Amino acid sequence: MCQLNNYNDFEMQERNTTLGEFIIENQKAFQYSTGELSRIINSIRLAAKVVNYKVNKAGLVDIVGAAGEQNIQGEDQQKLDVFANETFIQTLINREIVCGIASEENDDYITVAGADNSHNNKYVVLMDPLDGSSNIDVNVSVGTIFSVFRRITPMGTPVQMEDFLQPGVNQVAAGYVIYGTSTMLVYTTGHGVNGFTLNPAIGTFYLSHPNMQYKEDGTIYSINEGNYVHFPQGVKDYLKYCQKEEGDRPYTSRYIGSLVSDFHRNMIKGGIYIYPTSSKAPKGKLRLLYECNPMAFLAEQAGGKASDGFKRIMEIQPTELHQRVSFFCGSKNMVTKAEEFMENAEK
Ligand code: AHG
Ligand code: MN
Ligand code: MN
């Protein structure tokens, strides 16, 4: 049995493209590429492995000590979202490949200067270092989301807020890591979506899901229905439509409460994810810049659709770093149908 497992690992190694190989191949597709974007994806790959190691040890918290306590070596334990934040930021800073970073965990953006105090890198990264962090305690999948833009202010000068407040259509890359039953890195550079699965035995990501595609129609709807009474009328009407006995309906309800995991499942199986505005959260809950924009880019690259209920997410001009937005994302026809209900309820 053991031999068979080893044999399977070996087979995977021999036959499948690794993420490292894929990044190099992909770089050739970009004319005049300086390799900076490839180095950013490489850094994210490395940080993802470090965070994966830590996330997988989260269940041992009673043994090694909870966040805020000291572990048996007398070291302070950090909360996982803080650890993930520092790991991704440090990995990007140490490699001197970005000029700025914005994160859910930091109120302001970080200006990154080179060792010689220069500002000659051209990309900014925005990220949610640990998405679905409330699920850590219960052994449910969490993720990391990232978005990459080319700066718009002149090279050689420190980054400015406007470099981060760009509409999603300007993204040059976006993706997520899902720390699940297996750990995957899924990303796009605007040429489709590819998913890589980590073989933990040898610490290598392999191309396991080439050219991921949303089905045009799905049968899953994902929303926190506990907030039903607070939803706008259009969302309430759409949910009744999802539950109606007709054709392939009623649809199946699936909600993990971890955007990355809900999105990942829906992209593979076909479905819609909704986090609307509500009387409790008038602007919605999810963040435009490092949750919705990257997911919208991935969704569109996979043949899906992302909207705020009325208009395309990626065309929204952001005004704040931590701006919230209402989010409808998934199979194209399902999102279009939900938009119809939103529009009709407005009339
Ligand atoms: P985060 O852990 O980064 O704060 O994000 C949590 C988000 C998202 O992952 C998830 O879809 C949503 O919050 C769940 O919210 P509810 O608990 O309100 O359903
Ligand atoms: Mn999040
Ligand atoms: Mn988070």
Side-chain angles (χ1 to χ4, degrees):
M1 196 60 192
C2 181
Q3 254 183 342
L4 188 64
N5 279 340
N6 288 341
Y7 178 71
N8 284 343
D9 279 350
F10 178 70
E11 284 276 282
M12 193 177 178
Q13 236 167 301
E14 288 297 289
R15 287 191 200 155
N16 289 58
T17 308
T18 68
L19 175 53
E21 288 166 344
F22 186 89
I23 291 169
I24 294 167
E25 282 303 308
N26 218 32
Q27 192 184 312
K28 291 183 195 151
F30 293 99
Q31 234 186 338
Y32 314 120
S33 160
T34 56
E36 269 176 80
L37 186 58
S38 299
R39 289 170 68 210
I40 291 173
I41 306 290
N42 259 323
S43 299
I44 290 170
R45 170 180 70 151
L46 175 63
K49 286 191 223 178
V50 176
V51 172
N52 174 62
Y53 175 72
K54 198 84 170 179
V55 166
N56 278 310
K57 283 202 328 190
L60 291 169
V61 89
D62 289 340
I63 299 163
V64 296
E69 292 175 359
Q70 287 200 330
N71 66 15
I72 44 176
Q73 280 88 32
E75 295 158 343
D76 283 331
Q77 291 290 297
Q78 275 179 322
K79 283 183 72 174
L80 267 173
D81 33 20
V82 178
F83 176 83
N85 193 40
E86 285 175 5
T87 302
F88 278 94
I89 289 175
Q90 278 313 322
T91 310
L92 289 166
I93 290 180
N94 290 345
R95 275 161 191 73
E96 296 186 23
I97 42 178
V98 292
C99 54
I101 304 169
S103 164
E104 184 192 14
E105 300 295 328
N106 298 75
D107 290 343
D108 297 321
Y109 65 82
I110 299 165
T111 305
V112 182
D116 55 355
N117 215 21
S118 62
H119 297 270
N120 291 325
N121 292 318
K122 58 173 176 283
Y123 294 109
V124 293
V125 171
L126 300 94
M127 63 175 181
D128 177 354
L130 205 69
D131 172 70
S133 45
S134 65
N135 281 321
I136 276 281
D137 299 347
V138 288
N139 209 354
V140 167
S141 303
V142 291
T144 297
I145 310 173
F146 63 92
S147 167
V148 184
F149 288 87
R150 202 169 283 118
R151 65 183 299 177
I152 50 179
T153 55
M155 296 272 281
T157 61
V159 273
Q160 303 289 329
M161 185 62 100
E162 61 198 276
D163 293 314
F164 297 92
L165 299 185
Q166 299 188 53
V169 286
N170 290 358
Q171 288 174 104
V172 293
Y176 59 81
V177 184
I178 178 167
Y179 311 98
T181 42
S182 50
T183 290
M184 286 187 69
L185 197 154
V186 176
Y187 80 102
T188 183
T189 51
H191 302 274
V193 177
N194 291 287
F196 300 82
T197 303
L198 180 66
N199 179 346
I202 47 179
T204 305
F205 282 102
Y206 286 95
L207 179 61
S208 53
H209 294 63
N211 194 22
M212 296 176 84
Q213 288 286 324
Y214 261 103
K215 291 177 185 152
E216 282 204 347
D217 282 295
T219 54
I220 296 173
Y221 70 101
S222 313
I223 187 166
N224 186 342
E225 264 180 294
N227 294 327
Y228 184 86
V229 295
H230 304 286
F231 286 156
Q233 193 55 43
V235 173
K236 288 180 177 169
D237 293 344
Y238 177 65
L239 291 180
K240 285 291 154 244
Y241 166 86
C242 292
Q243 293 159 357
K244 198 173 169 194
E245 195 95 33
E246 196 178 317
D248 54 356
R249 286 170 288 137
Y251 296 153
T252 301
S253 166
R254 289 281 182 275
Y255 188 74
I256 297 169
S258 202
L259 171 64
V260 169
S261 314
D262 282 307
F263 178 97
H264 186 71
R265 182 206 48 242
N266 289 355
M267 181 159 64
I268 290 173
K269 297 199 166 180
I272 183 169
Y273 176 95
I274 306 177
Y275 209 110
T277 56
S278 69
S279 47
K280 277 203 318 199
K283 291 181 173 166
K285 176 181 183 188
L286 299 181
R287 314 293 185 144
L288 173 60
L289 292 184
Y290 42 79
E291 291 184 314
C292 301
N293 264 342
M295 291 312 202
F297 191 20
L298 288 161
E300 289 194 8
Q301 284 294 316
K305 185 171 176 179
S307 132
D308 69 352
F310 301 95
K311 56 184 185 300
R312 191 177 170 208
I313 283 289
M314 291 211 288
E315 285 176 8
I316 298 173
Q317 173 60 53
T319 52
E320 288 168 50
L321 215 47
H322 300 286
Q323 184 170 338
R324 297 177 196 272
V325 72
S326 134
F327 194 47
F328 295 62
C329 180
S331 293
K332 200 185 263 175
N333 294 346
M334 295 181 91
V335 175
T336 301
K337 184 54 102 180
E339 283 178 328
E340 275 169 38
F341 278 96
M342 293 301 287
E343 200 188 319
N344 287 338
E346 292 278 294
K347 283 178 188 161

